[in-house]
Amino acid sequence: RLNRAEREDVMFALGRVFAEAHKKTNPAGYGYEQMGLADNWYDAYTGMVCAAAQDAADAGARMPHEAKVLALAKKHKVVLEKVKPRLVHFDVWEGNIFLQDKQFYGLIDMERAMWGDRLGDFISLDFVHDVDHKSNAALVRGYNEVADEPLVFDKKAKVRLGFMRAYLGMIMFAEVETRVPKSSPHYHMRRTLGRYTLSWGLRQIKD
């Protein structure tokens, strides 16, 4: 296990990796290449939301709050349309971070990678605090040291974080239906976590 100083070093290095990845943009469009790229982030995002809801429906479950997410996206369309199409991993958590000798070594599992809002890489590491909390200071410091556009947590950034968190919750909810047997003790726990993440994102957008 890492002590506090070692963890901060890893998070600082990870922030730098995020910043370098986010320098890669795609002039061809936004979203998942396998789904077809959209001309702007609003169109890509709403298409991804609908696809996640359909995945849940195909598995026999109704996605919570789909209409609310789409309505809020329409309300904040101007904000979303200004997002640049950056390379986003979108599944960075402890299990996907490799260390060597207690130092950051690399990331795995690009299954959710997309061209979209870079803020999506700052929501799955901490399900308790937001990225601007002091517990994530080393991550942000590392990022801003090399980023072409340093992070600024203004109201628009909070809204964008909320949309990415809401979408992550939808993905988590849909994946439970296809990956976890209903008889498993993890089924209801992971389903609840998906709902919680989605609801947190909605609250963040509205605040």
Side-chain angles (χ1 to χ4, degrees):
R1 296 182 65 87
L2 302 177
N3 62 35
R4 181 175 179 179
E6 290 167 344
R7 185 184 185 282
E8 288 187 353
D9 287 345
V10 170
M11 290 298 100
F12 182 84
L14 179 60
R16 292 173 62 91
V17 169
F18 279 174
E20 292 296 341
H22 294 166
K23 291 177 183 178
K24 301 182 187 300
T25 61
N26 186 10
Y30 298 72
Y32 293 110
E33 293 191 6
Q34 62 269 33
M35 292 175 56
L37 297 175
D39 292 333
N40 60 71
W41 181 232
Y42 169 79
D43 287 343
Y45 181 85
T46 53
M48 289 155 49
V49 165
C50 292
Q54 187 60 54
D55 286 345
D58 291 344
R62 182 179 179 183
M63 179 66 71
H65 306 309
E66 177 190 5
K68 286 184 181 179
V69 175
L70 292 174
L72 285 168
K74 186 174 183 179
K75 178 180 178 180
H76 294 282
K77 183 176 181 180
V78 173
V79 173
L80 296 178
E81 285 183 333
K82 291 182 179 179
V83 170
K84 295 180 180 179
R86 299 180 184 270
L87 178 60
V88 182
H89 185 289
F90 202 54
D91 196 16
V92 179
W93 62 288
E94 290 185 359
N96 284 341
I97 301 172
F98 272 24
L99 306 181
Q100 186 173 41
D101 299 325
K102 296 187 177 182
Q103 298 291 315
F104 177 85
Y105 185 72
L107 294 173
I108 63 169
D109 195 358
M110 298 290 290
E111 177 185 354
R112 295 180 184 169
M114 68 178 82
W115 298 103
D117 194 334
R118 63 178 178 159
L119 295 181
D121 274 337
F122 295 93
I123 58 175
S124 55
L125 276 168
D126 190 341
F127 281 91
V128 179
H129 305 110
D130 214 338
V131 63
D132 58 348
H133 189 267
K134 62 182 180 181
S135 61
N136 295 308
L139 177 71
V140 175
R141 190 169 65 252
Y143 187 92
N144 285 344
E145 186 173 277
V146 296
D148 57 1
E149 290 184 25
L151 295 171
V152 177
F153 298 108
D154 56 14
K155 186 174 180 60
K156 290 180 180 179
K158 293 280 190 178
V159 167
R160 288 165 52 196
L161 280 165
F163 277 114
M164 295 308 289
R165 180 167 283 115
Y167 177 64
L168 176 61
M170 298 179 84
I171 290 293
M172 294 167 66
F173 183 90
E175 284 185 347
V176 169
E177 301 299 329
T178 58
R179 298 186 179 185
V180 183
K182 289 182 172 60
S183 58
S184 169
H186 298 290
Y187 174 80
H188 291 290
M189 179 186 69
R190 291 181 58 178
R191 205 168 188 259
T192 299
L193 183 57
R195 283 179 173 272
Y196 164 80
T197 304
L198 171 52
S199 296
W200 181 5
L202 289 174
R203 290 195 303 272
Q204 194 168 24
I205 296 166
K206 294 176 180 179
D207 287 346

